[in-house]
Amino acid sequence: MSAPAPGLGDFSYLGPLFDAAAVHRADDHFVPPPEPAVGSSLAQDDEPLKSWGVANFVRSSLTAGLFHVEALNKLVTVVRKVDPYSPWTLLRCVLENFATAVWLLEGQTCDGRRHRALSLWDEDFRNRAQHEADVHHVVTGPDEKTGEQRRQEVKQLADNLGLCPLSTPRAGEIIVTAASTAGLDPEQTRASWRVASGFAHGRFWPHLRAAEPTGVVSTPGGRLISFQVDDKQLESLATACRTLLEHTARQYASRSTPP
């Protein structure tokens, strides 16, 4: 990680997360984990799920998180201009991405992991159906199906496998479960996520709990308070993201390799 620009502040505590992400970098792209090998536990999980398996969602979540980390890295080391919102917003995405990957990989039973994967696919197709309704999407190809049709296929597959009814995955619950699995404090990790979400949505309360006032400027309508990032709390969030990333990499490698 490059030295911070004068007046920017010292964000070197983000270095371990940037270094952990760089392990997955190759030239101009990130390298996704390989397909699970035949005979591995992950391949066994995914065999009846086909393209709707655990591995595909883990690889997608991992890649998205890595790109968010890189965006923050460039903001700090290349652009060298950090506002009080962007680091929290980016790391919120990172935390959700990596926590989702851990959550998918670490279900206690094969059926439990399949249920988690199909629940995410069900939600994915529900969101797709909402978008298609917004844009008035019309099916044109003979083999094309709508998000709602795909969603019904996912539900039918879950029924065929004897899985309990699919449930809507909740980010807070996923984060708590993943944090516990990875050896993090689940409540502290969720608290970091709540703060990050507050900044991402432009709420007022995060400034009171995770920002440091730096000055007051008089305005025609009153006074404008300047804030800067609370380094200690942002570091805690970055550390949780790194832990989840490294846990995902270890578990994927273990579960995608035959015993």
Side-chain angles (χ1 to χ4, degrees):
M1 177 176 169
S2 303
L8 176 63
D10 183 3
F11 285 92
S12 60
Y13 57 81
L14 297 175
L17 173 59
F18 296 159
D19 291 342
V23 171
H24 303 272
R25 204 74 167 83
D27 298 325
D28 61 347
H29 64 281
F30 285 106
V31 180
E35 291 281 352
V38 175
S40 67
S41 65
L42 192 51
Q44 292 172 9
D45 283 355
D46 285 357
E47 194 280 327
L49 306 183
K50 307 304 180 183
S51 60
W52 297 335
V54 173
N56 279 344
F57 232 122
V58 168
R59 297 198 300 170
S60 179
S61 294
L62 185 65
T63 301
L66 290 170
F67 273 110
H68 292 315
V69 172
E70 179 162 288
L72 180 58
N73 191 344
K74 290 181 177 179
L75 187 67
V76 173
T77 63
V78 179
V79 179
R80 299 189 178 219
K81 184 176 179 60
V82 178
D83 61 81
Y85 293 91
S86 297
W88 288 104
T89 302
L90 288 167
L91 288 183
R92 170 189 182 243
C93 296
V94 174
L95 186 71
E96 291 182 1
N97 290 145
F98 294 162
T100 297
V102 171
W103 181 76
L104 285 168
L105 288 168
E106 293 282 10
Q108 293 184 349
T109 65
C110 180
D111 280 350
R113 293 187 292 271
R114 288 172 178 169
H115 184 270
R116 288 181 178 183
L118 291 181
S119 290
L120 274 179
W121 282 109
D122 178 52
E123 179 67 3
D124 186 85
F125 286 128
R126 185 182 75 85
N127 296 151
R128 170 179 156 183
Q130 290 174 319
H131 174 266
E132 289 172 348
D134 289 340
V135 299
H136 307 291
H137 174 73
V138 177
V139 173
T140 56
D143 298 322
E144 183 182 357
K145 294 186 178 181
T146 65
E148 184 57 35
Q149 288 174 317
R150 291 299 187 190
R151 189 184 184 198
Q152 293 308 314
E153 290 181 348
V154 169
K155 290 181 180 295
Q156 186 60 58
L157 177 57
D159 288 342
N160 293 345
L161 294 174
L163 303 178
C164 57
L166 301 179
S167 55
T168 302
R170 303 295 183 186
E173 296 172 5
I174 289 175
I175 288 168
V176 165
T177 302
S180 300
T181 300
L184 294 165
D185 182 324
E187 291 188 350
Q188 179 56 51
T189 305
R190 183 173 57 190
S192 293
W193 169 72
R194 292 192 195 284
V195 167
S197 296
F199 278 115
H201 294 296
R203 303 295 171 79
F204 288 95
W205 72 266
H207 292 285
L208 301 175
R209 295 292 176 263
E212 299 175 349
T214 58
V216 179
V217 178
S218 295
T219 66
R223 293 179 175 80
L224 181 66
I225 301 176
S226 300
F227 289 93
Q228 68 180 19
V229 170
D230 183 327
D231 293 310
K232 184 177 180 180
Q233 294 201 50
L234 190 66
E235 180 179 10
S236 177
L237 176 57
T239 298
C241 290
R242 175 176 58 82
T243 299
L244 292 168
L245 168 58
E246 293 174 343
H247 188 88
T248 297
R250 287 192 302 269
Q251 285 303 103
Y252 191 96
S254 174
R255 296 208 51 235
S256 64
T257 305

